[in-house]
Amino acid sequence: MQVWINGNAVEVDSEMTILQAAGKAGVQIPTLCHLEGVHEMGVCRICVVEVKGSRNLLPACITKVREGMEILTHTARVRRARRTVLELMLSDHPNECLSCGKGSACELQQLARELNITDRRFEGSYSKRIIDDGTPSLVRDSGKCILCRRCPTVCSQIQGVSAIAPIDRGFKTVIAPAWKESLINSPCVLCGQCAAVCPTGAIMEKNDSQKVWNALSDPGYHVVVQAAPAVRVAIGEMFGMEPGTPATGKMVTALKRLGFDRVFDTNFSADLTIMEEGNELLQRIREGGKLPMITSCSPGWINYIEYFFPDLLEHLSTCKSPQQMFGAVIKTYYADKMALDPEKIFTVSVMPCTAKKYESQRPEMASSGYRDVDAVLTTRELGTMLKEAGIDLAACPDGEFDEPFGPGTGAGAIFGNTGGVMEAALRTVYELVTGKPLDRLEFNEVRGLKGIKETRVKLCDMELSAAVIHGLSNVRPVLEEIREGRSPYQFIEVMCCPGGCIGGGGQPFSRDKDVRAKRMQGLYKEDESLPIRKSHENPAVRKLYEEFLIEPLGHKSHELLHTSYKSRR
Amino acid sequence: MKLYRNHVLVCGGGGCQSSGCKEISRQLRDELIKLGIGDEINVVITGCMGPCSLGPVMIVYPEGIFYCGLKPESVSRIAREHLYEGNPVKEFFYRDPYSGEAMATIHEIPFFTRQKKVALRNVGLIDPLKIEEYIAFDGYFALAKALSEMTPFDVIKVVKDSGLRGRGGAGFPTGLKWELTAKASGSPKYVTCNADEGDPGAFMDRSIIEGDPHTLIEGMAIAGYAIGAEQGYVYIRAEYPMAVEHLEKAIAQAREYGLLGKNILGSGFHFDLEIRVGAGAFVCGEETALLSSVEGKRGEPRPKPPFPAEKGLWGKPTLLNNVETYANIPAIILEGPEWFKSMGTEKSPGTKVFALAGNVVNTGLVEVPMGTPLGDIIFDIGGGIIGKREFKAAQTGGPSGGCIPASGLNIPVDYESLKEWGTIMGSGGLIVMDERTCMVDLAKYFLDFVQEESCGKCTPCRLGTKRMLEILQRITEGKGKREDIETLKQLGEDIMDTALCGLGQSAPNPVLNSIRYFLDEYVKHIEKHHCDASVCAAMFLAPCQNACPAGVDVPQYIEYIRRGMLMEAVATIRERNPFPSVCGRVCTHPCEDRCQRAQMDEPMAIRSLKRFAADYELQNKEAFYFNEDQQKANGKNKTVAVIGGGPAGLTAAYYLSLWGYKVTVFEAAGQLGGALNYYIPPYRLPNDVLAREIDIILRSGVNVVLDTKVGRDISFGEIRNHFDAVFVAIGTQQAAELGIEGEKSKGVMTALDFLSRINRGQRPEIGDKVVVIGGGSTAFDAARSAVRLGAKEVCILYRRSKWDMPALPEEREHAAEEGVKIFDYVAPVSIIPDENGRIEGLKCIRMAKGEFDSSARRKPVPIEGSEFRMDVDTLLIAIGAQGEVEGFEELELTGWKTFKVDEDTMQTSMEGVFAGGDCIHGPDTVIQAIADGRRAALAIDRYLGGNQEELEKAQQHKPRKIYGSIVETEQERLRVPLLTPEERKNNFREIELPFDIEACQREASRCLRCDVR
């Protein structure tokens, strides 16, 4: 059909919104609350346009086109209304841009520039400011909240958690857990998806960079760092690189320049996880253990099941996540090997995740007698630290991960994608069971952004039925099935965040709707580029078993690499 | 079936419930049994009858005798005297608010006769808890008709043809909505009812559900049939427990009778209803928010389109109407669309229920044909404004609506005209406001309401209304800025343009509307820091002080009187008003009108207290605080001429002189005092009292030149040249004429001429029959003086209603006691002289109530052929006066022959020449003249380089303190002893008698001291 945008005829699809139609016509309409495909509520009213025949201005983001519609996007009336709406928002927003952690990533600030706002027209009272820093992962500052409502939408629609919702009315409206409690007393899983979509600094990860700076500048500490696979395909975004560009080598150099004594690859412990988890699965299948077995490397997911489905905790693999396994190995095996006092080793991990901060602080994550992981940085925090230190990641030469753990395998790398753990596990389990090498390493059915993916793999005389789920709202029906005893699967991979870790709550902010797909491709590329692509072939892992752990699921493994769960109800 | 001699219907509406109707009906039943007639008379508790402010009320059928304001004792008497003995008890009849006449039946009381009930047809007439009674009044016949004789299409056509529009507010055509829902694809479909009545003061939906729940059920079932729905939901607010209870019972009864449920009346149509109780969010009146709430979600609006007709409850086509709309449906189906269209206006057929509230006599629920003039609803049905105050505005549409000022009293109330006037029908709230309402404060009230009730979803509503509220708050605190009005307008328009739902889009309406009609009030708040209505308390000490044109510190002098410090009391008055004794006698006391004590019992007797203190001063030492040293210290060596020795001129002269100026007063007459001296008769203001008060003023050092009239004895230019500044305060002396035939006849004179002769000690010759034309104080002064001169018959003719007379009620009362007769709605046509050219009679014509004029009074219109003749010996004309401006040709005039002055500086068109008093406003009150005199003195001081204003401002913030306790129990106001009518009829002695200090102190201790916060 045809519509008229600012007097120009545009051919559009009947399902399009005015915003999309305008985009097609090359007309930019400012938006703020809108997140295509995720949050389409039309609440901020920044995108209003004039439509002939309509008494009021209409929100372009949710108003569908009609045949012959005459749309005016930048008339004096529209610009005045938009300015007023934005000026109103600014009138209830603290004047703290200079010291706000969100910095220039703030969409409100960007919009104020775009609309050429140069003063604060409305003066008035500020709504009550509640700062919730009760969790180790996230800090919520209602003073900076513009009530775009992206966070409750993501929390309820994408994650199915509904920990936060609008409370109270009018000027007193606030997004908060029930009874305006702290997140720590809510069902919040700390996935940080709210922080990832927040246009302002109202929800941010709890900043741990100072802790890391302190360790780095303390000569008494041996400071090591591990970096998760999803980090390397995203951190470049903060330095002007295209999303998904693998920046592994540059990142290693940058971390070394930052002052870490050793830089390790979490891919190593991902491989280690596969060794333990793959064997655990086989053991459960062979010995009649609890099935289906569900992966346990995503800490947001662990929080979810502990809160919402505590009766199903036995289905979880007892494996610690790669982050925690690595920490435990560093404080024991590595300390021994390097003749270091574990007390004096400070382990840092760089994660795409906010829930990892919480995970690292769980009391049980210290089975070596020392905290497995001392500090967790999100990808964003690392990027900010590099900038503070004047390190341009994009300009860094490639470096290599330090021994004794080396670079890890392709199987470890794809851990960052939804389906990656499954694929890595299948590569190993298949060969462990059949004793034959796989013809093709790629398991395409478990790749991609579909919410629930399934696969069946023939392993000698048995067929393994598996599912891959990401985004917690997709988990509920599968768990209900398990609860009712009708689950068709033996093995399920669950990743808390949509897309897996590459879409984690600690990743660089992006409004690029294809950002997840690009990062995923980056990891698959990384996998392909690596000489070793199966976890059980990782020489460092083999060496670890030979020198220290003896065998998967062995006594030491049990002590250091496995854990248990409890109901959070 | 049992037959009863009488049915007594006791109103069980919300208002009557709270005033004790249950107790009344119990008492009545007991009494009837005691009298042995318990089985002859049926006592029924019905739904709301409407006249809530009169409650508890009841009607005795078959005659329709209406009793109001009932108490258990009164019921016993009614049982005995009326129901047993057969004599209705007049004492508990309704009384006409204008005439005070008792009216017996609902067939004569305008509150009932002017109504036309469709939606409320059974409310107040049946026992709502008995389905049999509903059926007896043709209940469920419409459903039966629809199911047996009509297709769904037919039903929709009838509703469309009727022209019924949604009674919830927006007035969307109901039939069209039904058609859209019927045609929408999707299944199942739902019928929903909005009973979340949230507008402050509106309670028609509640009354319908409480008083006639089956009509809602029937209307919804018909709708279900028409659109193809089998399930309906009624969304009622939790604040209406009785409505919920009645509807629950009615639904159960309807199910029992097969009128809800499966296969209704064997037609194959299934329909059932469920109640959803809302938690009381105003926004849930918005349709999409309501549907979200029915679904169990947070009550927040969602964007439209899609409209509920396409995607409503759970995404299915849903019909949503409000209670009143559904209540019309059965009647329309039964009586047909033509019948419905015969009521109301072309575009808004039918009737509308209004909840009449505010400062109107008969508050309650009324149903009138659409198009009934607003003024008729307020003044005929509503009985006018309480206390006969001035109507200011009517607010419709609740927080989304706006106000209609007095100029809109003639508009026919329907959707179109309300929209034209910038307001909306809304659910039918109609709040009447008098002059004590501050429009800025009112706008603030409504905005505060909507900003509290905003769901917070969209930015403009959540933040915009808050910012508007903050601006209004500032304005009402006297901190407004000039640009605030423009900001409010712009912000309001932008909110309306961008908000997500109807609540936000209409939220700024009360503000924009009040700026449209009452801009001057906003400006006054911002620029003058004055709230005429004495509401915005941050801008004044106390309402009485704020209402006083001269701003006298009333609570302070009342406090001094209470403490027995009478000299200090007078000194306090004299700071703003050098005529305490005069004002203690003749002031129109606007202060008392605003006295907060009136809300408890009666207003303070402020004028009388002032008189007491001032008299004490005159009889004892003087509180006059002038001293020469101070004057010398102030000495400014500048000269000021005051032209006119009336209250305005003398006041200005007094203060200027105190502040050190050399002042000369030029007076045309032989005595000072102006109108006080010449036109106010001695029985109200004795000459010696005035003389002594003037004497005190003169002692401040004022020079006086008597018998010197500008233009006759001296030229204006000469005065202007000799003085540094001139104040012109020449008043208005030229009496207005009737302009009718025979006005020059002997025996016809102006009241002013008549009064001035009396005050000069003459006894003007009058005949036996004296007629005075006019309705102001002068008319009454003339009439009462005529009585004192021995006239046998004195009457006052007034062309409007006696309630519209500008004279004070006590003047009317005192005149009546003295035998003066008042004839209202009469106007003179011509004077009939005898052969000697002497008046012999007056031809008059009767007047009828016409449309409302801009003063909210009905314009009198002559009734053709109603002319009649009166015998008259003396005719006194008291219809106003104007200035004599000869000699002042250099000064610019207004169209009313008054001097044009700058409002802020009081300066005329000529530099250094100021004017004030009646010669700038036309005839006005004494206190206004005094206030002008002082304002002019300050303006002249400023002009001559003084800083008196700053000095006074600096002294204003003294701490306020209460000494002793306030009487907080009801206590009668001080009654001033008067001469009896017999004692006063043949002489000019002052009629008010002195009273003692104990009485005054008792009165003073009633003062609530609003100034102490």
Side-chain angles (χ1 to χ4, degrees), chain B residues 113-144:
Chain B
T113 56
R114 292 293 306 268
Q115 292 196 55
K116 171 84 194 155
K117 295 196 174 184
V118 178
L120 297 177
R121 62 196 179 282
N122 296 324
V123 181
L125 200 61
I126 63 169
D127 182 341
L129 297 178
K130 291 193 176 140
I131 191 171
E132 297 85 357
E133 295 206 5
Y134 181 66
I135 292 171
F137 281 89
D138 295 346
Y140 290 108
F141 283 30
L143 178 62

Side-chain angles (χ1 to χ4, degrees), chain A residues 525-561:
Chain A
K525 241 185 270 166
E526 176 100 340
D527 171 30
E528 281 163 31
S529 71
L530 285 167
I532 305 172
R533 298 178 64 195
K534 297 170 201 161
S535 300
H536 54 281
E537 291 174 0
N538 184 329
V541 171
R542 287 184 168 180
K543 203 163 176 196
L544 176 68
Y545 278 107
E546 280 161 24
E547 294 180 359
F548 186 64
L549 294 172
I550 317 298
E551 56 171 357
L553 307 181
H555 176 70
K556 267 225 163 69
S557 292
H558 187 77
E559 196 181 309
L560 293 174
L561 308 184

Side-chain angles (χ1 to χ4, degrees), chain B residues 993-1006:
Chain B
L993 299 171
F995 41 89
D996 60 34
I997 187 155
E998 285 78 23
C1000 282
Q1001 287 177 320
R1002 210 163 42 241
E1003 175 68 9
S1005 61
R1006 289 175 68 235

Side-chain angles (χ1 to χ4, degrees), chain A residues 41-45 48 55-59 62-63 77 80-82 84-85 88-92 121-126 146-147 149 166-173, chain B residues 280-283 298 300 303-305 451-460 462-464 466-467 470-471 474 487 489-491 493-501 505:
Chain A
M41 216 172 185
V43 297
C44 76
R45 319 306 277 182
V48 287
R55 186 166 49 96
N56 303 331
L57 301 179
L58 298 176
I62 49 166
T63 308
R77 179 181 164 204
R80 178 180 131 179
R82 260 179 215 154
T84 298
V85 170
L88 284 171
M89 275 186 208
L90 297 180
S91 74
D92 188 29
R121 185 152 63 110
F122 303 112
E123 292 293 340
S125 55
Y126 288 93
I146 56 167
L147 288 153
R149 316 263 292 241
I167 295 181
D168 289 346
R169 292 195 288 239
F171 189 65
K172 298 188 190 117
T173 311
Chain B
F282 179 68
V283 71
R298 178 176 158 100
E300 277 183 349
K304 293 185 281 190
Q451 74 91 25
E452 284 279 338
E453 292 292 339
S454 160
C455 78
K457 192 171 181 179
C458 75
T459 315
R462 181 182 72 244
L463 295 172
K466 174 74 176 177
R467 296 296 172 240
E470 287 172 336
I471 295 172
R474 273 211 315 268
T487 310
K489 274 159 87 175
Q490 280 197 11
L491 191 49
E493 285 165 15
D494 288 344
I495 295 169
M496 293 176 113
D497 227 3
T498 55
L500 189 153
C501 80
Q505 285 162 16

Side-chain angles (χ1 to χ4, degrees), chain A residues 213-223 261 344:
Chain A
W213 282 126
N214 291 346
L216 287 172
S217 56
D218 185 338
Y221 275 125
H222 178 78
V223 190
D261 295 310
K344 292 289 170 198

